[in-house]
Amino acid sequence: MSGNPQRGRDLYLTGCQSCHGFDARGIQGTAPTLHGVGAASADFYLTTGRMPLDDPHSQPDRTEPAYDRQSIDDLVAYIGSLGGPEIPQVDVVGGRLNLGEGQRLFTNSCAACHQIAGRGGVMSGAFVPTLLEATPRQVVEAARIGPYVMPRFSETQLNDRELAAIARYVQYAKHPQNPGGWALFDVGPVPEGMVAWLIGLLALLLVIRMLGRNEAP
Amino acid sequence: MKRWLIAALVLLLGKLRPPRALPPGRPVREPDRRAENLTFLLLLCAMAAAAAFIAFYFANPDTQFLGATLGLAFVLLAAACLVAGKRVVPQIEGVKERPELEHPFEQDEVVAVIAEGGEGVSRKRFFLLAGGGAAGLMGAALLTPALSCGPEANRVLSRSPWNRGRLLVTELDEPIVAAGIVVGELVTAFPSGADKEDIASPVIVVRVRPDELDLPDDRRGWAPEGLIGYSKICTHAGCAVSEYRYPSYGPTAPGPAVVCPCHYSTFSVTEGGKRIFGPAGRALPQLPLAINGDGQLVADGDFSGRPGPGWWGVRK
Ligand code: FES
């Protein structure tokens, strides 16, 4: 990863300064300072296409990144030079990472909002994004920086190894094994309940039909 | 159903009336012994299941066991009714035109005809006992849960494990170091040495910037360094309040709040748990916090209100 902070600064002046200010110290009521947010934040927001944002008062959603990889690296290098956390190193394949542990931790810390299969949803005041496209590095970055209204997770709550386990589970959850058959888009109990209702109703109709049979008088 | 009702009526009448001699020359139906035995057996099992329900209610009120035993009792009773209706009580249907009944002796005649339907059933007294026993036990099983509304309920619902100096611990019983919680983080905690399943046990602790705090005046000092504690049990219907939103930049995003995933009740964490959205009827009870000499989180008293969903007498 070789970003050029000088070129990053140029890109910043054309793409970002209208909201974050000439010196990247933010504009009151519009956008926060970027001093101290670190390379991790810049990498997360830029690689997920969440920044630049047209309307600073709307929720930043995942889109196609506005910059190519080299420009992102340059911007990240510039923002990183203002201080703050580095891009986390995530190794989801190596180490002793247990998928089951990842699922357990994801259940405890993430599933309340993102749902157990990572398909997202809503909460009051915000949409919860799906994790279908999240890369392991983006998962770890998001947990550490808490983008938009997402809470943060510090080292004491989830250490790096545990976060990597979660990231591994998120990768798995994109294409989970469904030995039970049709997964119904992995969106949880509502469609499953609907199917159960339909099947149950058919069974009931059958029973009713049998009960109602009457011998001709 | 109709058959069973008739069967019950027959049994009852057969019991109340003195035995009558059958008119001579009428064919007598042989009782089906095996079906009768099966019915007894099913009724006995239904009784056992109902008794098991009552036993589980007192010994180990796990909803799975309660549901299984009560469901089983109903299934067995239904099976007994089925066997009795199909095989024990004679299955002859006939329609006989009759004029309006006017005289007492005509009514007697009708009753006698109905009673004849009970022929072919031996051991009626036994049947009556088993049926009555099953009905009684199942009635008792259905009524036992009403005990949960008794005075015990108030005691269970109003006890709280929190008091001044009680250490907050994680799920793994480790103390919580105040400095380990960063702004924008949510931690679930429990009282040390108490039952974690108790409705008043689980709390959430969040850290906000101290200048964001907007607590009621009588709660100054309840949130040292911006660390605030609330009951984790939703005041609407008792779900775990597990969603947390904390804006990384306040002016362009919704404010810091915890959200209940069940029906989206939203409680502001900076304003003392005030409900700002959703069906909950009252604020989330706040737990006063303090930091002890070792930098660990401790409670500084009991909740600001009763934790858990509302019940009689607890609305505010
Ligand atoms: S139980 Fe929390 S909103 Fe209904």
Side-chain angles (χ1 to χ4, degrees), chain A residues 178-207:
Chain A
N178 287 305
W182 189 20
L184 296 167
F185 319 111
D186 296 306
V187 283
V190 173
E192 288 166 17
M194 298 273 282
V195 169
W197 263 99
L198 281 176
I199 294 177
L201 278 181
L202 282 181
L204 275 180
L205 275 180
L206 222 70
V207 171

Side-chain angles (χ1 to χ4, degrees), chain B residues 4 14 57 131 171 177 222 241 272 290:
Chain B
W4 175 245
Y57 177 82
E171 207 184 349
V177 180
W222 281 29
V241 178

Side-chain angles (χ1 to χ4, degrees), chain A residues 68-133:
Chain A
D68 59 25
R69 186 69 237 187
Q70 184 57 49
S71 306
I72 290 178
D73 286 345
D74 296 339
L75 274 164
V76 167
Y78 168 60
I79 304 297
S81 73
L82 305 175
E86 289 292 310
I87 293 177
Q89 296 303 316
V90 196
D91 180 11
V92 273
V93 270
R96 293 173 30 254
L97 281 182
N98 184 331
L99 189 57
E101 189 193 3
Q103 187 198 30
R104 187 181 63 78
L105 294 166
F106 188 89
T107 312
N108 283 354
S109 300
C110 323
C113 299
H114 287 286
Q115 297 195 25
I116 185 61
R119 297 303 189 269
V122 285
M123 78 186 300
S124 65
F127 288 99
V128 182
T130 157
L131 302 180
L132 270 179
E133 290 166 68

Side-chain angles (χ1 to χ4, degrees), chain B residues 59-144:
Chain B
N60 177 14
D62 183 318
T63 45
Q64 311 279 325
F65 291 140
L66 292 179
T69 45
L70 195 60
L72 195 68
F74 273 115
V75 167
L76 289 167
L77 184 65
C81 292
L82 268 177
V83 175
K86 289 263 183 217
R87 304 243 329 259
V88 177
V89 178
Q91 299 297 309
I92 307 160
E93 278 181 30
V95 180
K96 190 174 176 188
E97 297 295 336
R98 279 180 183 281
E100 197 76 7
L101 298 180
E102 272 168 16
H103 301 291
F105 71 88
E106 282 181 346
Q107 293 182 9
D108 266 358
E109 200 182 324
V110 173
V111 171
V113 170
I114 294 178
E116 275 168 15
E119 287 159 19
V121 181
S122 62
R123 298 178 288 177
K124 288 178 194 162
R125 179 191 299 268
F126 215 37
F127 254 114
L128 204 67
L129 261 173
L137 262 171
M138 288 189 56
L142 286 175
L143 286 178
T144 1

Side-chain angles (χ1 to χ4, degrees), chain B residues 234 236-239 260 262-265 279:
Chain B
C234 183
H236 174 230
C239 284
C260 175
C262 286
H263 318 98
Y264 294 106
S265 280

